[in-house]
């Protein structure tokens, strides 16, 4: 049985994994870059090893350093979290070679799913629907013929691509040639691989994914769906489960296909099959994520399971504890990703020192966090500082609870997307559960409206009063300055004095 | 005293202060308030029994104040600040002579060429930092003097990317 | 429908009630004493009214002031929380008279359950088992006869009593006379009422209570049990649900009796029937609490309901949303009460300013809180500063999760019972689920053991290093003092500087 | 330098300090540490890769330090503190001339009579404060000089309840 796990990650996912380890009496090893000495995951772990300078490529992405840290501390397993090396089959293979348990699927499964064309071929063979299209490299002439067969709109994509690079949508004949050529040159320059393929373009699809769980004995179950269509530039912002567009039949059908997909690559551990779903509930395999996902907590809340514990059990070579018939969604869960970013300034990242932080608590509230008051968010990594997850008996209650939770979340010192998230919870498309991946674009004006709630004048006056009172008290304090080296700042002292006695 | 909030200039006067009880006039509106600071950078205001909270971050006499789902820049313009403001105005007025990123990152795209004429708001480069892409724009009409980076370059925080004239 | 609720309480329960109000779009009015201006419930509410000086008898217990506050703010209902006036039928009656909805049972039900003798009589008539004994006042000679009938041990109790006053256990003939006389004189001097009654004394019983919920249409359901036997001087410290000693048959049986008890007084709203249970699973009605209880969240977690929302629905004259057959306990919940007290110094209250606070978060964790960094815990009220509630699939996992959560909870500036709670989670009687109300006494030595975990020397050295480093840095800071009026204290600045740059 | 922790007196010496890297000797044990203070009153110590946290509250040179499930009183005895300590020792040695409650509350029980001889640790009164009952005891052998309260009395914080001689 695994006794000590090195978490090859940072931030909230590192802390989240450690929480489950602690509950299983498994010792934890944090790794950290030089910029992360004060990150919560270092403070939380039983042991901590510095693995290099701040840039990821010199620390969190250096396999040799991670393996050395595991050796030094005697960790018998590595959990990769998400991002960084979590989908690196090289890392998984190296772990196996070094006799360290990799908490994830086999390197072979990762590779088959990692390459888009191989994944697509495998899915077709397994009987999982894929977007109509052609998966091998095409000349311009061949492309024209294929497009005629599929019908508009279509998309040309770089096989090795990702994140919108090397992609072009084509809506009519005249666009084919230019789109083909630019996609090809972008693919060559970005990925050094000019292979293109052509697919039917699904306009503003729903992004719906199925969590699956497999063990080393060939058992695979699905843990139902997550609706992830609230995306901005392919970045998920809000996720919910169940999906408001899902039906019992469709769930059963897609779930079975997700299981087939996972079985086709002998998948073991936790993974996600992402589907595109059009408005007629036609669904197509998009890709498989061979790791835990950011939005895994909403599945945990509606099913009341702990996915990290299940991952560790599978890594311990135990058969699945759960059977498909045990899996019943109850109630509704929503997750909001809190990011240090300036929504009013083109979502520019906003790192900095957290001056004051109040996290929401109470019934139905889960916060997967890692920041704290006084912590400086480093400039080197992802701007996501935590996740708010609520559960309630119905979708309508869950939305109301999320509003309450967003109201309670207070942070100063950096800018965050809290206001923006709050507006999503008021957008009528979201409230009605009628939205797809076009949601953010369609509602952008409403979501960024500055004159959004309440009288602007009244709240402006409140802001003026707060600043003005602080200014006045500063003047007073400077006039009566005392040497004061108590740890509690004079501001707090003032608060106390003011409340309990009199100014 | 003048307090600037967004585009608005408010006239603010402290009428009286007795313990938590504060009377303030903002423009022609008089507020009778109960004000306490329960925590560093947090202000609780009771007005006609309504409970308001504001959190703020201060830098000299400039504040960022968050109220319920709003964030305001507030500036206290006392006589000293007024003096400095006036001096500054004479000195430089929105002088921008370079494009830089406050964070280290990677150049994703260069959208301009040397010598190109720019209008206020035109984008110059796209930088990827903290896994996000951001466009950097010029704040005034100007001309691209020099381009010091190329697509794909890794840059440091505050490094000059493009010079303007 | 109720639009605005005044919460006639303070602290965590006031915030907890407001959270549910906010999720129902109901406006909230806080009331506060002069000592509570900075209490979280004031900051949390939409409106706040000062109702008098710090001592409860001059503020939270003054019905006139509460009614005036409700009138002034136009609140159409009052939620009393627990403690203070929550069991005052006078307050409930006054609300009715003023046209304010009382979120609780009728004054008549409160009165019938409030007087021990009336309650006992009502329960006997309703067929609910009570402890064998005699409920009317007895002369010494009558008492002797009754004791012979019941058999030792017995207890004499003041009818009007509570909190251990006017109570005496009698184990043999020779003790009768003195016990009778002292109980009588204590009862007279403490409660100005010398009425005594005699009952079978249940040695170290289990304290098991059933949550019930009734509406204004005669429907009553029970929401299963809470095990509350971990008590110190009749104060509950840790509660769990389900009870480890409960069986399905006993639950059904006791649940039905709890419903009968509630129906006997036409109970409406949320209430609790407390039972004493002996080792042979004989159970006896102890008393009914006609209000929400501190430990209500564990019921909410195993049933996934919101009791405050249910209370408000009943007050809105809606029929119960839930039916008995909907009620199925899932998994296991444990609550720990966090108190500002010095466990090593006879559990003396430890009020003060909270200098640093880290609350536990993440999967399966609920914190019902009200304190924050910089907050001064007033000396006038209950020392409970919050509640930690965990849920997990099994009791064993819930205990492990509670250990993790207690590990994450960090507070400085005041003393708390966190260490003590942690030890309870390691006590073998608790782990085996074999405990009764004698638990704390039986395990007191283990629970207060200073040399409890790990090498004392090593942790001592860590403590020395922390203090010494702080001392040294102070010397340095004093030597290089700069005028620094930034809000973030120099301590944090140091942390940052130290981490990111170099000292 | 002397550091007192509970009953133990430790000899502590700072050998070197370079950035976060600190070498400290405690008695005859040398520690090679990485130390940072991430937050006010919080200390993170890495020792041989083990991660320790301590939270502390300071008053002058006295600390209450919490480590994982332990709470220690720690006192730094530098030369100045040593001098003060010695002076104090001559002055008063556990001099206790009265019983008082640090909090307001109510007298639940008076356990002694005027003139009664007391042994160290004997209980004098029971006070109810913050809904909890606490016994107050004498710290040394003494005699009850006067009783200034009665059962049922409401008392203020720091009010003298009983005088001792």
């Amino acid at each position: 049985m695994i006794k000590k796990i090195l978490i090859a990650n940072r931030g909230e996912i590192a802390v989240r994994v450690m929480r489950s380890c602690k509950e299983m009496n498994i010792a934890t090893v944090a790794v950290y870059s030089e910029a992360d000495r004060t990150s919560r995951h270092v403070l939380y772990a039983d042991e901590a090893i510095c693995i290099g300078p701040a840039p990821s490529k010199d620390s969190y992405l250096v396999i040799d350093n991670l393996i050395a840290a595991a050796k030094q501390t005697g960790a018998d397993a590595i959990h990769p979290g998400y991002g960084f090396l979590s989908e690196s089959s090289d890392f998984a293979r190296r772990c196996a070679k070094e006799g360290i348990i990799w908490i994830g699927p086999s390197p072979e499964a990762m590779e088959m799913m990692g390459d888009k064309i191989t994944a697509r071929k495998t899915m077709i063979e397994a009987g999982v629907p894929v977007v109509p299209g052609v998966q091998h490299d095409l000349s311009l002439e061949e492309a024209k013929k294929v497009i005629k067969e599929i019908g508009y709109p279509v998309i040309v994509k770089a096989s090795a691509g990702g994140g919108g690079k090397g992609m072009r949508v084509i809506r009519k004949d005249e666009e084919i040639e230019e789109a083909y050529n630019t996609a090809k040159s972008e693919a060559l320059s970005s990925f050094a691989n000019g292979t293109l393929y052509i697919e039917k373009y699904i306009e503003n699809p729903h992004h719906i994914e199925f969590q699956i769980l497999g063990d080393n004995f060939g058992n695979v179950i699905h843990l139902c769906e997550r609706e992830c269509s609230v995306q901005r530039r392919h970045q998920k912002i809000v996720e919910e489960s169940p999906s408001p567009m899902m039906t019992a039949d469709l769930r059963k059908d897609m779930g079975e296909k997700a299981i087939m997909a996972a079985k086709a690559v002998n998948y073991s551990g936790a993974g996600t099959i992402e589907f595109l779903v059009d408005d007629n509930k036609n669904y197509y395999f998009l890709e498989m994520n061979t790791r835990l996902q950011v939005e895994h907590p909403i599945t945990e809340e509606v099913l009341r399971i702990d996915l990290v514990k299940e991952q560790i059990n599978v890594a311990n070579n135990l058969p699945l504890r759960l059977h498909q018939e045990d899996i019943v969604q109850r109630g509704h869960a929503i997750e909001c990703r809190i990011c240090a970013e300036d929504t009013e300034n083109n979502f520019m990242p906003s790192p900095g020192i957290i001056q004051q932080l109040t996290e929401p608590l109470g019934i139905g509230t889960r916060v997967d966090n890692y920041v704290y008051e006084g912590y400086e968010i480093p400039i080197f990594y992802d701007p996501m500082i935590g996740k708010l997850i609520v559960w309630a008996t119905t979708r309508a209650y869950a939305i109301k609870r999320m509003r309450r939770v967003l109201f309670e979340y207070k942070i100063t010192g950096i800018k965050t997307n809290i206001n923006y998230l709050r507006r999503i919870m008021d957008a009528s498309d979201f409230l009605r559960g009628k939205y797809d991946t076009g949601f953010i674009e369609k509602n952008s004006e409403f979501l960024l409206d500055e004159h959004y709630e309440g009288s602007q004048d009244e709240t402006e006056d409140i802001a003026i009063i707060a600043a003005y009172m602080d200014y006045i008290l500063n003047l007073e304090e400077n006039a009566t300055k005392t040497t004061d080296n108590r740890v509690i700042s004079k501001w707090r002292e003032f608060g106390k004095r003011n409340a309990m006695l009199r100014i | 005293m003048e307090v600037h909030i967004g585009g608005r200039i408010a006239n603010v006067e402290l009428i009286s202060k007795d313990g938590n009880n504060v009377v303030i006039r903002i423009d022609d509106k008089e507020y009778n308030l109960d004000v306490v600071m329960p925590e560093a950078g947090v202000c609780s205001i009771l007005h006609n029994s309504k409970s308001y909270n504001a959190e703020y971050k201060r830098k000299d006499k400039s504040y960022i104040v968050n109220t319920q789902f709003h964030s305001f820049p507030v500036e206290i313009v006392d006589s000293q600040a007024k003096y400095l403001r006036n001096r500054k105005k004479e000195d430089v007025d929105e002088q921008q002579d370079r494009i830089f990123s406050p964070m280290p990152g990677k150049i994703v795209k260069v959208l301009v060429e040397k010598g190109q004429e720019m209008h206020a708001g035109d984008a110059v480069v796209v930088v990827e930092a903290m896994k996000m892409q951001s466009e950097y724009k010029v704040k005034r009409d100007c001309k691209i003097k020099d381009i010091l980076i190329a697509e794909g370059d890794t840059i440091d925080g505050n490094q000059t990317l493009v010079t303007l004239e």
Side-chain angles (χ1 to χ4, degrees), chain A residues 35-53:
Chain A
D36 267 346
R37 172 64 181 85
T38 58
S39 181
R40 173 100 72 186
H41 73 288
V42 177
L43 313 180
Y44 198 97
D46 297 307
E47 295 175 69
I49 302 277
C50 183
I51 50 163

PDB file of all heavy atoms in Angstrom, chain A residues 35-53:
ATOM      1  N   ALA A  35       9.983  30.391  -6.259  1.00  0.00           N
ATOM      2  CA  ALA A  35       8.953  31.411  -6.061  1.00  0.00           C
ATOM      3  C   ALA A  35       7.845  30.927  -5.143  1.00  0.00           C
ATOM      4  O   ALA A  35       6.952  31.689  -4.784  1.00  0.00           O
ATOM      5  CB  ALA A  35       8.350  31.805  -7.403  1.00  0.00           C
ATOM      6  N   ASP A  36       7.884  29.671  -4.761  1.00  0.00           N
ATOM      7  CA  ASP A  36       6.752  29.067  -4.066  1.00  0.00           C
ATOM      8  C   ASP A  36       7.058  28.631  -2.634  1.00  0.00           C
ATOM      9  O   ASP A  36       6.281  27.873  -2.051  1.00  0.00           O
ATOM     10  CB  ASP A  36       6.240  27.852  -4.855  1.00  0.00           C
ATOM     11  CG  ASP A  36       5.103  28.206  -5.814  1.00  0.00           C
ATOM     12  OD1 ASP A  36       4.551  29.312  -5.668  1.00  0.00           O
ATOM     13  OD2 ASP A  36       4.765  27.375  -6.672  1.00  0.00           O
ATOM     14  N   ARG A  37       8.131  29.143  -2.054  1.00  0.00           N
ATOM     15  CA  ARG A  37       8.471  28.706  -0.700  1.00  0.00           C
ATOM     16  C   ARG A  37       7.323  28.948   0.281  1.00  0.00           C
ATOM     17  O   ARG A  37       7.110  28.176   1.222  1.00  0.00           O
ATOM     18  CB  ARG A  37       9.739  29.439  -0.233  1.00  0.00           C
ATOM     19  CG  ARG A  37      10.127  29.233   1.218  1.00  0.00           C
ATOM     20  CD  ARG A  37      10.496  27.792   1.557  1.00  0.00           C
ATOM     21  NE  ARG A  37      10.846  27.656   2.975  1.00  0.00           N
ATOM     22  CZ  ARG A  37       9.944  27.465   3.935  1.00  0.00           C
ATOM     23  NH1 ARG A  37       8.670  27.375   3.628  1.00  0.00           N
ATOM     24  NH2 ARG A  37      10.328  27.351   5.192  1.00  0.00           N
ATOM     25  N   THR A  38       6.548  30.057   0.086  1.00  0.00           N
ATOM     26  CA  THR A  38       5.473  30.367   1.029  1.00  0.00           C
ATOM     27  C   THR A  38       4.103  29.905   0.526  1.00  0.00           C
ATOM     28  O   THR A  38       3.077  30.261   1.109  1.00  0.00           O
ATOM     29  CB  THR A  38       5.397  31.888   1.318  1.00  0.00           C
ATOM     30  OG1 THR A  38       5.186  32.556   0.079  1.00  0.00           O
ATOM     31  CG2 THR A  38       6.655  32.386   1.973  1.00  0.00           C
ATOM     32  N   SER A  39       4.086  29.151  -0.551  1.00  0.00           N
ATOM     33  CA  SER A  39       2.807  28.653  -1.060  1.00  0.00           C
ATOM     34  C   SER A  39       2.232  27.648  -0.063  1.00  0.00           C
ATOM     35  O   SER A  39       2.963  26.916   0.601  1.00  0.00           O
ATOM     36  CB  SER A  39       3.028  28.010  -2.426  1.00  0.00           C
ATOM     37  OG  SER A  39       1.799  27.534  -2.940  1.00  0.00           O
ATOM     38  N   ARG A  40       0.900  27.661   0.028  1.00  0.00           N
ATOM     39  CA  ARG A  40       0.264  26.824   1.056  1.00  0.00           C
ATOM     40  C   ARG A  40       0.638  25.355   0.945  1.00  0.00           C
ATOM     41  O   ARG A  40       0.737  24.666   1.953  1.00  0.00           O
ATOM     42  CB  ARG A  40      -1.251  26.962   0.966  1.00  0.00           C
ATOM     43  CG  ARG A  40      -2.002  26.001   1.878  1.00  0.00           C
ATOM     44  CD  ARG A  40      -2.498  26.620   3.154  1.00  0.00           C
ATOM     45  NE  ARG A  40      -3.596  27.510   2.866  1.00  0.00           N
ATOM     46  CZ  ARG A  40      -4.178  28.298   3.763  1.00  0.00           C
ATOM     47  NH1 ARG A  40      -3.748  28.302   5.008  1.00  0.00           N
ATOM     48  NH2 ARG A  40      -5.164  29.067   3.428  1.00  0.00           N
ATOM     49  N   HIS A  41       0.842  24.857  -0.269  1.00  0.00           N
ATOM     50  CA  HIS A  41       1.107  23.417  -0.371  1.00  0.00           C
ATOM     51  C   HIS A  41       2.402  23.032   0.322  1.00  0.00           C
ATOM     52  O   HIS A  41       2.522  21.929   0.841  1.00  0.00           O
ATOM     53  CB  HIS A  41       1.051  22.936  -1.834  1.00  0.00           C
ATOM     54  CG  HIS A  41       2.218  23.339  -2.690  1.00  0.00           C
ATOM     55  ND1 HIS A  41       2.420  24.627  -3.122  1.00  0.00           N
ATOM     56  CD2 HIS A  41       3.239  22.627  -3.210  1.00  0.00           C
ATOM     57  CE1 HIS A  41       3.514  24.669  -3.875  1.00  0.00           C
ATOM     58  NE2 HIS A  41       4.022  23.474  -3.936  1.00  0.00           N
ATOM     59  N   VAL A  42       3.350  23.975   0.383  1.00  0.00           N
ATOM     60  CA  VAL A  42       4.612  23.705   1.085  1.00  0.00           C
ATOM     61  C   VAL A  42       4.368  23.644   2.594  1.00  0.00           C
ATOM     62  O   VAL A  42       4.890  22.786   3.305  1.00  0.00           O
ATOM     63  CB  VAL A  42       5.656  24.794   0.754  1.00  0.00           C
ATOM     64  CG1 VAL A  42       6.939  24.572   1.533  1.00  0.00           C
ATOM     65  CG2 VAL A  42       5.918  24.828  -0.742  1.00  0.00           C
ATOM     66  N   LEU A  43       3.536  24.573   3.081  1.00  0.00           N
ATOM     67  CA  LEU A  43       3.251  24.614   4.509  1.00  0.00           C
ATOM     68  C   LEU A  43       2.389  23.419   4.929  1.00  0.00           C
ATOM     69  O   LEU A  43       2.454  22.959   6.057  1.00  0.00           O
ATOM     70  CB  LEU A  43       2.520  25.917   4.860  1.00  0.00           C
ATOM     71  CG  LEU A  43       3.107  27.211   4.288  1.00  0.00           C
ATOM     72  CD1 LEU A  43       2.277  28.409   4.718  1.00  0.00           C
ATOM     73  CD2 LEU A  43       4.552  27.397   4.724  1.00  0.00           C
ATOM     74  N   TYR A  44       1.586  22.943   4.007  1.00  0.00           N
ATOM     75  CA  TYR A  44       0.613  21.899   4.333  1.00  0.00           C
ATOM     76  C   TYR A  44       1.252  20.509   4.384  1.00  0.00           C
ATOM     77  O   TYR A  44       0.833  19.656   5.157  1.00  0.00           O
ATOM     78  CB  TYR A  44      -0.486  21.904   3.270  1.00  0.00           C
ATOM     79  CG  TYR A  44      -1.758  21.189   3.674  1.00  0.00           C
ATOM     80  CD1 TYR A  44      -2.839  21.905   4.191  1.00  0.00           C
ATOM     81  CD2 TYR A  44      -1.894  19.813   3.564  1.00  0.00           C
ATOM     82  CE1 TYR A  44      -4.007  21.270   4.565  1.00  0.00           C
ATOM     83  CE2 TYR A  44      -3.054  19.167   3.937  1.00  0.00           C
ATOM     84  CZ  TYR A  44      -4.111  19.899   4.436  1.00  0.00           C
ATOM     85  OH  TYR A  44      -5.269  19.265   4.817  1.00  0.00           O
ATOM     86  N   ALA A  45       2.269  20.309   3.564  1.00  0.00           N
ATOM     87  CA  ALA A  45       2.823  18.965   3.395  1.00  0.00           C
ATOM     88  C   ALA A  45       3.645  18.533   4.608  1.00  0.00           C
ATOM     89  O   ALA A  45       4.069  19.347   5.421  1.00  0.00           O
ATOM     90  CB  ALA A  45       3.708  18.934   2.151  1.00  0.00           C
ATOM     91  N   ASP A  46       3.878  17.223   4.705  1.00  0.00           N
ATOM     92  CA  ASP A  46       4.757  16.715   5.751  1.00  0.00           C
ATOM     93  C   ASP A  46       6.212  17.006   5.418  1.00  0.00           C
ATOM     94  O   ASP A  46       7.026  17.226   6.301  1.00  0.00           O
ATOM     95  CB  ASP A  46       4.571  15.192   5.887  1.00  0.00           C
ATOM     96  CG  ASP A  46       3.163  14.846   6.331  1.00  0.00           C
ATOM     97  OD1 ASP A  46       2.721  15.399   7.347  1.00  0.00           O
ATOM     98  OD2 ASP A  46       2.501  14.035   5.647  1.00  0.00           O
ATOM     99  N   GLU A  47       6.519  16.983   4.113  1.00  0.00           N
ATOM    100  CA  GLU A  47       7.885  17.283   3.681  1.00  0.00           C
ATOM    101  C   GLU A  47       7.828  18.165   2.447  1.00  0.00           C
ATOM    102  O   GLU A  47       6.807  18.184   1.757  1.00  0.00           O
ATOM    103  CB  GLU A  47       8.647  15.988   3.338  1.00  0.00           C
ATOM    104  CG  GLU A  47       8.849  15.088   4.540  1.00  0.00           C
ATOM    105  CD  GLU A  47       9.501  13.766   4.145  1.00  0.00           C
ATOM    106  OE1 GLU A  47      10.687  13.782   3.770  1.00  0.00           O
ATOM    107  OE2 GLU A  47       8.820  12.737   4.202  1.00  0.00           O
ATOM    108  N   ALA A  48       8.898  18.881   2.194  1.00  0.00           N
ATOM    109  CA  ALA A  48       8.905  19.787   1.048  1.00  0.00           C
ATOM    110  C   ALA A  48      10.312  19.859   0.474  1.00  0.00           C
ATOM    111  O   ALA A  48      11.285  19.947   1.220  1.00  0.00           O
ATOM    112  CB  ALA A  48       8.428  21.172   1.464  1.00  0.00           C
ATOM    113  N   ILE A  49      10.388  19.797  -0.849  1.00  0.00           N
ATOM    114  CA  ILE A  49      11.683  19.807  -1.551  1.00  0.00           C
ATOM    115  C   ILE A  49      11.645  20.886  -2.633  1.00  0.00           C
ATOM    116  O   ILE A  49      10.718  20.945  -3.423  1.00  0.00           O
ATOM    117  CB  ILE A  49      11.937  18.444  -2.233  1.00  0.00           C
ATOM    118  CG1 ILE A  49      11.914  17.305  -1.213  1.00  0.00           C
ATOM    119  CG2 ILE A  49      13.235  18.463  -3.024  1.00  0.00           C
ATOM    120  CD1 ILE A  49      13.190  17.080  -0.478  1.00  0.00           C
ATOM    121  N   CYS A  50      12.686  21.708  -2.655  1.00  0.00           N
ATOM    122  CA  CYS A  50      12.788  22.723  -3.703  1.00  0.00           C
ATOM    123  C   CYS A  50      13.316  22.061  -4.973  1.00  0.00           C
ATOM    124  O   CYS A  50      14.286  21.303  -4.930  1.00  0.00           O
ATOM    125  CB  CYS A  50      13.731  23.841  -3.248  1.00  0.00           C
ATOM    126  SG  CYS A  50      13.845  25.179  -4.452  1.00  0.00           S
ATOM    127  N   ILE A  51      12.619  22.306  -6.095  1.00  0.00           N
ATOM    128  CA  ILE A  51      13.019  21.625  -7.338  1.00  0.00           C
ATOM    129  C   ILE A  51      13.473  22.583  -8.430  1.00  0.00           C
ATOM    130  O   ILE A  51      13.513  22.190  -9.588  1.00  0.00           O
ATOM    131  CB  ILE A  51      11.876  20.735  -7.886  1.00  0.00           C
ATOM    132  CG1 ILE A  51      10.567  21.535  -7.953  1.00  0.00           C
ATOM    133  CG2 ILE A  51      11.701  19.485  -7.054  1.00  0.00           C
ATOM    134  CD1 ILE A  51       9.529  20.908  -8.837  1.00  0.00           C
ATOM    135  N   GLY A  52      13.795  23.841  -8.056  1.00  0.00           N
ATOM    136  CA  GLY A  52      14.383  24.702  -9.074  1.00  0.00           C
ATOM    137  C   GLY A  52      13.829  26.109  -9.086  1.00  0.00           C
ATOM    138  O   GLY A  52      12.981  26.468  -8.267  1.00  0.00           O
ATOM    139  N   PRO A  53      14.290  26.905 -10.034  1.00  0.00           N
ATOM    140  CA  PRO A  53      13.885  28.317 -10.137  1.00  0.00           C
ATOM    141  C   PRO A  53      12.411  28.477 -10.512  1.00  0.00           C
ATOM    142  O   PRO A  53      11.745  27.510 -10.863  1.00  0.00           O
ATOM    143  CB  PRO A  53      14.785  28.866 -11.229  1.00  0.00           C
ATOM    144  CG  PRO A  53      15.917  27.902 -11.342  1.00  0.00           C
ATOM    145  CD  PRO A  53      15.353  26.577 -10.982  1.00  0.00           C
TER     146      PRO A  53
END
